[in-house]
Structure formats: structure tokens, C-alpha cells
Amino acid sequence: MLDAILFERAGVPAIAVVTEPFRATGEAMATSWGMPGYRFLEVPHPIANLGDKELDERADRLVEQVVALLAGASR
Amino acid sequence: MSSAAEPDPASLIEAYFERGWTDGLPVVPPTEKSVAEMLAGAGLRRDEILGEIPGRNTVVVAEKVAINAALAGCRPEYMPVVAAAVRGLCHPDFAYHGPASSTGGSAMVLIVNGPIARRLGLNSGNNAFGQGWRPNATIGRAVRLTMMNVMQTRPGLLDRAVLGNPGKYSFCFAENEDDHPWEPLHVARGLSPARSAVTIYASNSLYQVYNQLAAEPEPLLVCFADALSNLGLPNVKGFNQALLVVAGEHTEILRQSGWSRGQVQSFLIEHTRRRVADLKRAARLPGEVTPADETAWRYFFEKPDDILLVCAGGRAGSWSACLPGWGNKWTKAVTTAIGEIP
């Protein structure tokens, strides 16, 4: 999350991906950096115990949203 | 803060709780006077910067820490310890964001060394981790309240502890420097014995180690090594830091043995290990178990100084304690000299 915020501050479009239970933490981090409402993507939790196939499937489902957010520059 | 027309203390306590400025226990409402006394206790200016938390975009100013020390119930003479602990918290080696925010829910363990510990009456003896001593209870509490109120480290938000632990209220004790088998911790970490210091160390658990029959170091230390190599250890990749608090009769066994601090640390490095096969069967390492895994060992510590040895606790009893660390690849214990007030 912090990496994405720092990239954005440096003028580089970025997307943070956060698992769902960490939404409030992502929002709090964005607020502490003076970027309340900063948009990030949420994915289901957990991910650490997934196999390669399941991880690839999740990543595939995410790609379009990542591209849309990066291209949108609507933040 | 209260003004000239002092509100009722009981209603202030409720107001602080409702605003989320407490750890759940009642706080001592600060006043202009008590905050000024707290700053004077450490010889600090209001606007003096004690450190910053880069990952949090937060600069920590002395006045804010003094307010939280007052909230915690500290006496002004405790403030030099609180300020040094906060400086340690902000040190880059401590890498605040990890231990403060991780799901592991670390306590910030404060170990106080040197003359100030005795002067303040910090407990290093019986019940050193327990209740009953004001500096132990309030210095650690001041650090936690500073984390919550200055660094915005609030449960569920930037503090994501799954369970947390009771040491998150306060975990502060002094090392027992009398009858010590070795030099005190702050001396081992490069300071002179005449200095006072506080070491901050992040640990998510405390496990008491019992052994009443051991009369030599080896069987006793094997028990420590076993406690530090369980399959649920957070970090099995070999970049751990651990705190061992040697107490009571165990201290005497080590003192009489003549083993140096380095010998104890080396023994523990050698014996704190698991077979790769055990770790794979427990899904602590990925992959299928191979025949070679049955005889391949994974060691959990790399360097002697990764094992912090401290003496505290009562003289009678066969108990010591292991406190696994948050992992020294990211976070290292930090020892900060305590500024003495002339």
C-alpha cells in the first residue's frame, strides 16, 4: 500500500492490491499519508496457502481491473 | 487538556475513553502543569523531535509523548526512560511498521539497565513481568499510548494483531544486574556500565521454560532451544532474534558453570534447529518430503548476538522465559542510552 502511495506521489501511476480484511488498514494508511479515498483493489483472503493454479486464476481475474484503474487516472 | 476551569476528573476519564485515546483502562487526564513537569523530567523542549516513523509519515514531538506519559500515569522522573524508548521505537533498525502493525501482535518489550532502574524503583525481581510496580506498569503503557495516539497505531486499523497479547498494555522491566553471570545487556550491546539504557524488542509471545532437575548448563539450555524451535515458530527461515530471560535458580546454574554469554549463545545456535522433513510435514516449508530432508537440519539463528540474554526474576524457582522475536531480517532490538538530567 505504502509503495503504491509513494509511486503516486512520485508521479508514477500505481495500484495497491489488498486482501479484503485489510481494507480498513489500507484506508488508514492512505489517510495517514494525506490521501484519504485513495483507490486500491481488494481480493479475497487468504492467499498465502493457495497453489500456483489458484493464484494464477486470481491474478487473471484481477488484470482487467488493474489496467482499468491505471488507465483511468481518476484518482 | 483541562483549562483553568477544571472539569470533573471522572468525566474527563470517560471523555478520553470515548475519543479512543486510551488502552481501555482509565487514564490520568493530563494538565498543562503535568505535561510541563513531564517534559522537565527529561529536560525536553515541547517541540523537540524524538524521531520519526517514515512509513507512517509521522514526526514524533516531545510534547505529544509527554501527554501520553501523563495519560499513562508516569511520574516525571520516568520520562527519560519513556523518551529513550520512543527514540528506539523510531530507530530505522527497529523498522516500526512491521512489529507495530503485523497480525502477529507484538508487545514492545522494554528492558531497562543501569543506575536509573534502581533510582526509579523498576522491578527486576519477583514478578518482574507482572503487576504491582508503577514504573514497570506505566513506562510501557506510555510507549503503547504514544503508538496509538501519535503514530495512529490503533487496533483494527494500523494495528492488525490477530490476537495481540497482554504485554501490549505494558511490558517493561529492569535487568537484575546483581549476581549476574555476565555483563549486563546494555554493556554487551556496547554501552558503559555507568550509563543507563533501555532496549526495545518486539515479541509476540512469552513462553515460560521450566526445569527443576538441571544442575548443569547443557540440559537447561536444551530446554530453551526446544522452546525456541517449535513447529509453530513464526519464522523458520533462520533470521530470528530471541530474548531469553534467565531467572531464579537457572541464573545460578549458569553463573556457577562459568559459561560466558558467548558460550551460551553458541550452544543455543547449535541446538535450536528442526529437521527439514519435520517442517515440511507440518507445512511450515513447501514441497514434498525427500529422503535427504530426514537428515537435513534447518537452524533458526545465525549470529550469537541474535540471542539476547537477560537476567531478571525472583531468586527461588526453576522458571525462565523465552520471547521469540519478530524476525531480525526486518526488525532488530534497539538499545538507546537514557539521557540523564543534570
Side-chain angles (χ1 to χ4, degrees), chain B residues 156-167:
Chain B
L157 298 171
L158 290 170
D159 171 353
R160 291 308 309 258
V162 171
L163 288 166
N165 72 71

Side-chain angles (χ1 to χ4, degrees), chain B residues 197-271:
Chain B
V198 59
T199 299
I200 185 162
Y201 169 81
S203 179
N204 59 15
S205 60
L206 184 161
Y207 181 82
Q208 294 205 48
V209 175
Y210 182 71
N211 189 330
Q212 197 172 33
L213 295 180
E216 302 292 336
E218 291 91 340
L220 175 63
L221 296 177
V222 163
C223 289
F224 287 131
D226 191 58
L228 288 167
S229 56
N230 68 70
L231 288 170
L233 187 78
N235 188 341
V236 296
K237 298 216 165 61
F239 33 79
N240 291 299
Q241 204 167 34
L243 169 63
L244 263 62
V245 180
V246 186
E249 294 157 29
H250 296 166
T251 310
E252 191 57 22
I253 291 166
L254 295 175
R255 196 172 69 81
Q256 286 188 6
S257 74
W259 279 37
S260 69
R261 180 187 293 270
Q263 275 178 285
V264 172
Q265 289 165 323
S266 296
F267 185 94
L268 289 168
I269 288 176
E270 192 182 331
H271 289 82

Side-chain angles (χ1 to χ4, degrees), chain A residues 2 9 21-26 28-29 32-34, chain B residues 53-58 97 103 152 156-158 160:
Chain A
L2 178 55
R9 285 192 152 197
F22 289 91
R23 178 196 304 153
T25 304
M29 183 63 104
S32 76
W33 280 87
Chain B
I53 309 284
R56 291 290 178 78
N57 200 26
T58 300
H97 182 68
T103 51
Q152 308 303 323
L157 298 171
L158 290 170
R160 291 308 309 258

